[in-house]
Amino acid sequence: MRRRVLAVAPVIALVLGLAGCGGSDQGGDDDAAASPTPEAATLTVFAAASLMGVFEEIGSQFESDHPGVSVEFSFAGSSDLVAQIQQGAPADVFASADTKNMDKLVADDLIDGDPVDFATNTLTIAVPPGNPAGITSLADLTQDGLNVVVCAPQVPCGSATTTVEEGSGITLTPVSEEQSVTDVLNKVIAGEADAGLVYVTDVKGAGDTVEGVPFDESSNAVNTYPIATVSGASQADLAKQFIAMVTGSVGQDVLAAAGFARP
Amino acid sequence: MSLSLRAAVPERGVDVRVDVPAGRTLAVLGPNGAGKSTLLAAAAGLLRPHDARVVLDGRELTVVDGGRTRTWVPPHARGVGLLAQEARLFPHLSVLDNVAFGPRSAGVPRARARAVAHEWLARVGLDGLDARKPAALSGGQAQRAAIARALAADPRLVLLDEPFAALDVGATPALRHTLSEVLAGRTAVLVTHDVLDALLLADDVAVIEAGRVVEHGPTRDVLNRPRSAFAARIAGLNMVGGTWDGTGVRVGEGLRVQGVCDEPLTAGAPAVAVFRPAAVSVHTAPVTGSPRNTFLADITVVEPHGDLVRVRAGDLAADITPASATELRLVPGAGVRLVVKAAEVTIYSVVRGQHEHPQP
Amino acid sequence: MTIRRRPHAGSHLPAWAFVPAGIGAALVLLPLVAMVSRVSWGNLWPLLTSESSLTALALSLRTSATATVLCVLLGVPMALVLARARFPGRDLARSLVLLPLVLPPVVGGIALLYTFGRRGLLGHTLEVLGVQIAFSTTAVVLAQTFVALPFLVISLEGAVRTAGDRYETVAATLGARPTRVLLRVTLPLVAPALASGTVLAFARALGEFGATITFAGSLQGVTRTLPLEIYLQRETDPDAAVALSLVLVVVAVTVIGLTRRTGTESTP
């Protein structure tokens, strides 16, 4: 299993895209020609950045269950991945952090079959260790003088935040609307922000550097993660097996350990 | 407005001292690297010597004592103007504003400063060029503008660093004339290579050799009676140094020079024998007759000198007619006898007498 | 039949050199052409004049202008000190000043965070004084100044050193005090370099992204400058992102044009 730095992904996509120009339907033949072992194959999985830890774990399990198969991941923001797949990047599997981005590919007829929801995630309030501002509820975030950081409404965690605000009738006045949930988390970890709205899994993944304060209103915005085989996948069979592992007990255990809930 | 300067910079091997009485111009002569520039830089405050004392008109400008600065007046507050080889006019200012720069720096209102600048430009012969940019001036014009600019600042001391060195030969005489007019009555130090500058512009001359002032006196005296090899050379005279033995100058082993001694000398005192190249005749065979001095030497250079031919052999020079030179078949490397009559040789002490300019 | 060779300028160049040169040029220009080809010209005006775009553009211009002024106020003395003053460690200082040029902007942002952030080196002092820099427009200006300053310093310092001190010496002997020498002689002489350095600094400030998003945050009208707006618009409205990118490209081309002109003017 190899992990690529995000920035390299477009280049790989470009190279693979060029290599595939000769005959995109003969991916299996290409693989056979490139490698002496007939079973050797590479499964390319495009997954939302928030899935990095769990998918790497599931990926190694998949590789040990399927000798000769290597799983190659490209982790990035869901919308970036959608854009890459629309531009012809050769993904076999796409796992999105929200249904909206998956629906874009479905609408473009780039998904084989129906997407399957495999996990959910909800928002929580991330605070510095020890919760110095004593925050216990969403309403506490409206106090004067608090530096609250959220995601921008244009990105998935931001739209979830907007939904929570609308459902609860609480209006936050953030000092910053960040580009990604990681940016929000880092602002809290750095101590610049007193609190930030992030996903439960983010707090879990951040270890001791932040604490999570759960709040009831988070049920207004349950984020659902769908997964699907990409149309014209060169490894369609392996893709289906990988999806089965993610939705099966192995995948669900790993996801639960990381803080994801079942759909 | 008199200048008294002493500056020592050990790492350059320089230790010089000069005095310029108020209203007089001192020409500083000397070979390249002798320490002339160090002297100017010390006076202008562009250099902090290891040991120095610069006093202008009774005011201490620099006092440095073994590397410790006791008094230091920054360059802009010294009232010391500097004219360099190149004009160094500010390229972004008009000629008029260049000249007005000094008065403006002294706080003179713009209109008044420009009027002063205009007058100075007229004095140096640059009427009508007020609005030009320096790039549109010839080398001579630029140097005139630089002179106007230096003097418009009304400095108490003017320093000139080979002001004609970068100019066409043709532009020099007129500029030298202008400079002699505007320097009249000012206290100035002029560093030059050219004996004409010293003769026409300076009241006094100091000769610097190897970081020391070896001569210092009124121009005419230094040039007529040089006491250093360099001064003799730029004065165009042959000089042989040695010790006075009562009737002549003994120059090393077996060589004696006889001549006319016009000042009292004590036996054993250092003395020089000086004579004009034109008084020297060149022979290939021994000569007899009235008391003569004969020097044996190999010719190094034969070159035209006015309508004569200058023959250089050893440290001496002889000016002879082209006819003689041809007849004697003088070529570099040939051994010759240089002969000068005793009556043509002047002998005097190396040390300038008390009745002349005080030796600093 | 005769083959006529056309004389080329720089004919000493081997012919093969044109191939990599052409590829290099294509690498630079092709993406720009591709981007321009994606501009939806019909929607361009509404996209550029949307509230968020105009707010971001106004903020970018305001902060970049302020950062440029700061760069001039701080960078000119820095360049002069580095070029003229003699002090121990000057060569080291000269290299360190250029650090933001080679550092990834994100690293700059992190460094700024640990300096001016709440828990940063100066953060506590600033908090006592009632100053909060993170998440404020001040943070944007600081980040832009941080990354843009070396551009001004490097171009000006080189020019000052090349110019030498001949004119300054003359000015001093004409009675000009150091400040007057600086304002009336030194700076006018290096004016072309100062102008191109200032324009470059402005351009760099305008394009600054990494340090801003790391250090300042992103809030419309406060810290969300044009590059941040472009990055965010990409999530939902790629057309708007391309339209705004076009604005930055136009600004960059203008800036390059300006520096080229001042550059040629400065060469004698």
Side-chain angles (χ1 to χ4, degrees):
Chain A
M1 185 182 73
R2 280 174 292 162
R3 205 179 99 198
R4 296 284 183 188
V5 184
L6 297 184
V8 185
V11 179
I12 298 165
L14 179 67
V15 171
L16 293 176
L18 289 174
C21 282
S24 55
D25 289 333
Q26 291 155 6
D29 290 350
D30 284 353
D31 283 336
S35 143
T37 323
E39 303 99 297
T42 299
L43 179 68
T44 306
V45 176
F46 278 26
S50 51
L51 293 169
M52 184 141 91
V54 288
F55 267 38
E56 281 179 348
E57 204 174 329
I58 296 172
S60 10
Q61 185 65 47
F62 190 79
E63 282 176 348
S64 53
D65 288 0
H66 298 78
V69 172
S70 77
V71 182
E72 188 170 296
F73 287 110
S74 178
F75 294 111
S78 300
S79 55
D80 289 336
L81 295 172
V82 165
Q84 287 168 22
I85 292 170
Q86 284 170 335
Q87 298 292 324
D92 296 310
V93 175
F94 174 54
S96 171
D98 62 357
T99 47
K100 197 177 75 184
N101 275 299
M102 179 62 85
D103 291 347
K104 286 191 213 162
L105 289 187
V106 172
D108 285 1
D109 215 6
L110 287 166
I111 292 300
D112 188 10
D114 291 325
V116 185
D117 297 340
F118 65 95
T120 61
N121 207 354
T122 48
L123 291 176
T124 188
I125 301 168
V127 294
N131 194 358
I135 290 158
T136 57
S137 70
L138 187 65
D140 285 352
L141 298 185
T142 58
Q143 290 169 22
D144 280 349
L146 273 189
N147 279 351
V148 177
V149 177
V150 300
C151 287
Q154 288 87 341
V155 297
C157 59
S159 67
T161 303
T162 309
T163 311
V164 165
E165 283 182 90
E166 281 164 359
S168 63
I170 293 168
T171 307
L172 301 175
T173 49
V175 292
S176 182
E177 296 172 348
E178 299 287 333
Q179 188 77 29
S180 74
V181 71
T182 320
D183 290 329
V184 175
L185 196 62
N186 283 337
K187 295 277 189 315
V188 178
I189 292 171
E192 292 307 309
D194 299 307
L197 282 184
V198 299
Y199 287 111
V200 174
T201 53
D202 298 313
V203 171
K204 200 131 191 166
D208 297 336
T209 54
V210 288
E211 282 180 19
V213 178
F215 60 100
D216 296 340
E217 297 88 339
S218 68
S219 59
N220 286 317
V222 177
N223 204 40
T224 305
Y225 283 66
I227 190 166
T229 308
V230 178
S231 300
S234 60
Q235 302 291 347
D237 287 345
L238 283 174
K240 289 192 173 64
Q241 290 172 41
F242 183 82
I243 292 169
M245 180 177 265
V246 170
T247 52
S249 60
V250 172
Q252 290 302 305
D253 286 352
V254 175
L255 283 160
F260 287 99
R262 283 173 178 275
Chain B
M1 306 244 183
S2 65
L3 170 75
S4 163
L5 177 146
R6 193 235 149 191
V9 184
E11 64 264 33
R12 295 191 197 172
V14 172
D15 187 349
V16 291
R17 183 174 169 185
V18 294
D19 289 278
V20 187
R24 288 171 80 92
T25 297
L26 171 75
V28 177
L29 299 163
N32 283 330
K36 306 192 296 289
S37 311
T38 304
L39 190 156
L40 288 194
L46 306 176
L47 173 85
R48 205 178 291 241
H50 188 257
D51 275 288
R53 193 174 137 83
V54 180
V55 182
L56 179 60
D57 200 19
R59 178 185 174 216
E60 286 183 336
L61 298 181
T62 301
V63 180
V64 185
D65 197 354
R68 294 176 63 182
T69 305
R70 313 261 181 219
T71 307
W72 181 262
V73 178
H76 67 83
R78 291 189 170 219
V80 175
L82 178 64
L83 187 69
Q85 285 185 21
E86 328 92 71
R88 292 188 196 174
L89 297 174
F90 304 127
H92 58 289
L93 297 180
S94 69
V95 171
L96 186 72
D97 284 339
N98 260 281
V99 180
F101 190 92
R104 290 287 290 143
S105 298
V108 175
R110 187 186 301 273
R112 176 82 199 108
R114 286 196 165 154
V116 169
H118 189 76
E119 281 168 32
W120 272 106
L121 283 170
R123 279 187 71 177
V124 300
L126 291 182
D127 314 70
L129 300 183
D130 290 11
R132 289 245 185 121
K133 279 288 168 74
L137 297 182
S138 72
Q141 287 172 332
Q143 197 62 319
R144 282 172 187 275
I147 292 168
R149 180 178 64 173
L151 293 171
D154 199 21
R156 292 187 292 169
L157 170 69
V158 185
L159 305 174
L160 305 102
D161 190 358
E162 302 191 33
F164 312 121
L167 291 185
D168 291 341
V169 180
T172 305
L175 194 59
R176 192 183 276 126
H177 179 70
T178 302
L179 208 48
S180 75
E181 283 180 351
V182 297
L183 286 183
R186 287 184 178 270
T187 312
V189 177
L190 164 72
V191 162
T192 181
H193 272 112
D194 192 336
V195 69
L196 266 182
D197 291 345
L199 277 172
L200 297 176
L201 296 174
D203 306 296
D204 300 307
V205 166
V207 177
I208 299 185
E209 270 186 295
R212 299 289 183 279
V213 174
V214 293
E215 294 217 48
H216 195 319
T219 306
R220 248 159 239 297
D221 185 53
V222 171
L223 293 180
N224 287 337
R225 294 170 74 91
R227 286 161 160 88
S228 66
F230 184 83
R233 191 158 73 244
I234 62 160
L237 297 172
N238 287 310
M239 186 174 84
V240 178
T243 49
W244 177 249
D245 66 358
T247 54
V249 176
R250 185 165 296 280
V251 187
E253 277 302 302
L255 182 58
R256 252 180 110 256
V257 183
Q258 288 185 299
V260 182
C261 177
D262 62 357
E263 60 183 48
L265 284 169
T266 49
V272 287
V274 176
F275 47 96
R276 294 173 301 116
V280 181
S281 55
V282 180
H283 303 271
T284 47
V287 187
T288 52
S290 56
R292 289 163 199 272
N293 299 294
T294 302
F295 305 90
L296 296 175
D298 293 338
I299 294 176
T300 51
V301 178
V302 181
E303 63 193 2
H305 187 76
D307 50 7
L308 296 173
V309 172
R310 170 153 293 184
V311 179
R312 292 185 187 278
D315 294 331
L316 302 177
D319 290 343
I320 59 176
T321 61
S324 322
T326 314
E327 189 180 319
L328 293 166
R329 298 175 191 277
L330 300 180
V331 290
V336 289
R337 292 160 188 274
L338 301 177
V339 177
V340 59
K341 290 180 186 167
E344 297 281 358
V345 178
T346 311
I347 293 173
Y348 46 86
S349 167
V350 166
V351 183
R352 206 168 291 278
Q354 286 300 312
H355 59 284
E356 293 170 275
H357 191 266
Q359 168 73 10
Chain C
M1 186 176 156
T2 54
I3 297 166
R4 277 168 52 191
R5 285 168 188 271
R6 246 189 264 168
H8 282 280
S11 55
H12 294 299
L13 212 56
W16 58 260
F18 285 92
V19 177
I23 293 173
L27 189 62
V28 173
L29 294 178
L30 209 55
L32 288 179
V33 173
M35 196 194 78
V36 171
S37 73
R38 278 305 181 89
V39 173
S40 57
W41 298 101
N43 288 331
L44 189 63
W45 191 245
L47 287 173
L48 291 181
T49 52
S50 74
E51 194 221 338
S52 62
S53 300
L54 286 180
T55 310
L57 182 62
L59 179 69
S60 264
L61 292 176
R62 211 171 73 226
T63 51
S64 301
T66 313
T68 307
V69 170
L70 273 177
C71 281
V72 170
L73 289 179
L74 304 175
V76 170
M78 276 169 82
L80 291 168
V81 167
L82 288 176
R84 285 279 189 270
R86 275 178 234 158
F87 56 91
R90 181 178 67 165
D91 289 344
L92 184 67
R94 207 176 262 159
S95 313
L96 288 181
V97 163
L98 303 181
L99 213 52
L101 269 184
V102 290
L103 274 185
V106 168
V107 176
I110 292 173
L112 286 169
L113 200 57
Y114 287 127
T115 312
F116 297 103
R118 265 192 196 172
R119 295 189 195 161
L121 211 57
L122 307 176
H124 185 70
T125 316
L126 290 170
E127 196 151 30
V128 168
L129 296 172
V131 180
Q132 191 196 309
I133 288 183
F135 306 119
S136 70
T137 306
T138 310
V140 177
V141 173
L142 266 178
Q144 290 174 338
T145 308
F146 179 82
V147 297
L149 194 54
F151 283 85
L152 191 124
V153 173
I154 197 172
S155 41
L156 193 60
E157 192 222 344
V160 171
R161 286 215 278 174
T162 310
D165 64 356
R166 300 175 304 149
Y167 294 109
E168 291 158 22
T169 304
V170 170
T173 61
L174 292 171
R177 293 171 174 280
T179 304
R180 184 174 158 80
V181 175
L182 175 66
L183 297 179
R184 304 289 296 158
V185 178
T186 313
L187 290 183
L189 283 175
V190 297
L194 178 59
S196 67
T198 306
V199 171
L200 273 176
F202 178 77
R204 182 66 190 84
L206 200 61
E208 160 38 46
F209 172 76
T212 308
I213 206 163
T214 316
F215 172 53
S218 172
L219 192 66
Q220 185 177 338
V222 181
T223 52
R224 190 175 295 151
T225 54
L226 205 48
L228 270 65
E229 176 70 19
I230 291 172
Y231 194 58
L232 190 59
Q233 287 290 350
R234 232 176 88 261
E235 295 286 340
T236 50
D237 191 352
D239 284 349
V242 170
L244 290 175
S245 302
L246 189 68
V247 173
L248 279 186
V249 169
V250 169
V251 171
V253 168
T254 312
V255 161
I256 291 168
L258 280 175
T259 48
R260 295 289 293 209
R261 255 187 55 202
T262 54
T264 44
E265 276 167 14
S266 70
T267 46

